[in-house]
């Protein structure tokens, strides 16, 4: 087994599950939101924020759903245009992390 230290401080898992004929995050704009956040994280956070597409997080009727670590918080009822608010929250988390415990 090999291991290496990871650069990421924050990990965001956004449900991109698509369910034919039933309510799902994909149909509410999860892909577009994930694409925007991935682009921002890759370009501006030096890999300190990692954005992942996840499967169903069990909040289908409340989606778009997003799990955030290390905060251990689940966000629901996210709209595609919440992008700026999410980005701001992640930037604040990075700033807090710089200060240390
Ligand atoms: S489809 Fe997104 S939480 Fe189930």
């Amino acid at each position: 087994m090999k291991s290496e230290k990871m650069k990421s401080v924050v990990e965001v898992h956004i449900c991109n599950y698509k369910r034919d004929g039933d309510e799902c995050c994909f149909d509410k704009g999860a892909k577009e939101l994930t694409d925007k956040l991935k682009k921002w994280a890759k370009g501006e956070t030096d890999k300190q924020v990692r954005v992942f597409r996840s499967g169903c997080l069990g909040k289908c009727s409340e989606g778009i759903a997003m799990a955030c670590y290390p905060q251990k918080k689940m966000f629901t009822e996210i709209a595609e245009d919440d992008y700026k608010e999410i980005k701001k929250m992640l930037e604040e988390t990075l700033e807090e992390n710089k200060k240390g415990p």
Side-chain angles (χ1 to χ4, degrees), residues 16-35:
N16 273 234
Y17 193 74
K18 181 165 178 52
R19 181 178 283 128
D20 287 334
D22 255 329
E23 204 170 356
C24 62
C25 295
F26 185 88
D27 288 347
K28 296 175 186 172
K31 182 188 181 307
E32 293 75 13
L33 175 67
T34 308
D35 287 346

Side-chain angles (χ1 to χ4, degrees), residues 40 82-94:
W40 164 75
D82 286 332
Y83 163 74
K84 284 184 181 167
E85 192 176 335
I86 294 168
K87 195 177 98 163
K88 185 175 173 225
M89 174 193 71
L90 297 172
E91 286 169 338
E92 287 169 0
T93 302
L94 291 179

Side-chain angles (χ1 to χ4, degrees), residues 7-10 37-51 87 90-91 94 98:
K7 247 181 165 179
S8 59
V9 174
V10 187
L37 283 170
K38 273 182 163 288
K39 187 175 177 186
W40 164 75
K42 191 174 179 186
E44 296 186 40
T45 73
D46 192 29
K47 296 183 181 173
Q48 291 186 71
V49 175
R50 304 256 342 252
V51 179
K87 195 177 98 163
L90 297 172
E91 286 169 338
L94 291 179
K98 282 182 192 169

Side-chain angles (χ1 to χ4, degrees), residues 14-19 22-28 30 54-66 74 76:
I14 302 170
C15 173
N16 273 234
Y17 193 74
K18 181 165 178 52
R19 181 178 283 128
D22 255 329
E23 204 170 356
C24 62
C25 295
F26 185 88
D27 288 347
K28 296 175 186 172
S54 87
C56 180
L57 296 173
K59 299 284 187 185
C60 319
S61 63
E62 302 168 62
I64 303 171
M66 175 179 89
M74 174 77 78
T76 56

